[in-house]
Amino acid sequence: NAGVTQTPKFQVLKTGQSMTLQCAQDMNHNSMYWYRQDPGMGLRLIYYSASEGTTDKGEVPNGYNVSRLNKREFSLRLESAAPSQTSVYFCASTEGPSTDTQYFGPGTRLTVL
Amino acid sequence: AQSVAQPEDQVNVAEGNPLTVKCTYSVSGNPYLFWYVQYPNRGLQFLLKYITGDNLVKGSYGFEAEFNKSQTSFHLKKPSALVSDSALYFCAVRPTRGTYKYIFGTGTRLKVLA
């Protein structure tokens, strides 16, 4: 049981480049989340998907887009990367609204030059 | 605005001593409360949660947390710290009404000294 997986683990981009961060969970969870973690700021929610077919903005959505491809997969896209998007990105999932424990992936460390 | 505060960036404690990591929140209603731990270069791992019931919640690795509704606090505790407890600890809150969003604190780095 792999839980939540993320690819890639590390990425370096130049300003203006685009990329997609992949996330998949094998726990049959309904809800999935994308966070960024910056020093001294904790985790901030970028986007979330309460269930397959729905997505909603979180606290810091600007510069990002998401796709809930199916129940397992939730991708995060940076269309035109900026240095301010240098961060560690975490994907998480929960079974649903009545089971609230979040399960996190190992993270993607992104550097934008 | 809803928020979660972890007032200490770092807590140092000697091995074998009790530890407390503080968390207070400003969220309306009766939110769900969580503690997560993050080891270096890893994702967050669930420690414990309070939904309802007994104010003292027991979790993984000997940790427990005390919910205090009047003080809107949810402090993490352990009776006897281990060096291996050294990590980054996050408090999180999920408002129970109308949202799937979670609000995280900024994290407290716990350092247990041998």
Side-chain angles (χ1 to χ4, degrees):
Chain A
N1 190 338
V4 180
T5 57
Q6 292 182 237
T7 55
K9 291 186 178 179
F10 302 93
Q11 184 70 49
V12 179
L13 294 177
K14 295 181 180 179
T15 297
Q17 288 184 315
S18 62
M19 79 161 296
T20 299
L21 281 64
Q22 306 287 355
C23 173
Q25 51 88 11
D26 62 3
M27 297 173 284
N28 201 34
H29 284 177
N30 290 299
S31 304
M32 298 184 73
Y33 306 79
W34 275 106
Y35 293 93
R36 58 178 291 173
Q37 182 181 23
D38 301 292
M41 302 192 74
L43 272 74
R44 292 182 293 169
L45 181 65
I46 304 171
Y47 271 93
Y48 68 103
S49 172
S51 60
E52 186 179 358
T54 68
T55 60
D56 287 285
K57 295 179 180 179
E59 182 184 355
V60 287
N62 291 344
Y64 305 95
N65 285 302
V66 290
S67 295
R68 183 74 183 266
L69 303 170
N70 48 54
K71 191 172 185 179
R72 288 187 65 247
E73 299 172 288
F74 188 39
S75 63
L76 178 71
R77 183 162 178 82
L78 286 70
E79 291 291 350
S80 179
S84 61
Q85 294 178 305
T86 293
S87 187
V88 181
Y89 291 85
F90 289 101
C91 178
S93 70
T94 60
E95 184 175 345
S98 62
T99 306
D100 300 277
T101 301
Q102 289 200 308
Y103 294 84
F104 285 82
T108 294
R109 188 174 294 274
L110 175 67
T111 300
V112 182
L113 303 175
Chain B
Q2 301 180 110
S3 62
V4 175
Q6 293 182 243
E8 301 152 318
D9 291 336
Q10 181 160 322
V11 170
N12 296 326
V13 63
E15 188 175 30
N17 282 2
L19 69 88
T20 299
V21 181
K22 296 179 181 178
C23 173
T24 59
Y25 61 92
S26 175
V27 175
S28 58
N30 298 306
Y32 298 169
L33 306 167
F34 302 83
W35 277 101
Y36 289 87
V37 60
Q38 185 181 31
Y39 298 100
N41 301 313
R42 303 284 295 276
L44 278 69
Q45 298 176 30
F46 170 75
L47 273 181
L48 51 79
K49 67 180 177 183
Y50 175 84
I51 304 298
T52 187
D54 193 348
N55 290 344
L56 187 64
V57 179
K58 294 190 183 297
S60 306
Y61 314 120
F63 283 93
E64 56 191 27
E66 186 170 12
F67 169 63
N68 187 316
K69 186 172 184 177
S70 63
Q71 297 185 3
T72 60
S73 67
F74 189 54
H75 300 331
L76 182 69
K77 300 181 178 184
K78 189 174 183 182
S80 179
L82 300 172
V83 172
S84 57
D85 293 331
S86 299
L88 187 58
Y89 290 82
F90 288 97
C91 181
V93 171
R94 203 204 99 177
T96 51
R97 295 182 183 179
T99 178
Y100 293 99
K101 298 179 183 180
Y102 294 73
I103 305 165
F104 282 81
T106 53
T108 298
R109 188 165 301 281
L110 174 67
K111 191 170 184 178
V112 181
L113 307 170

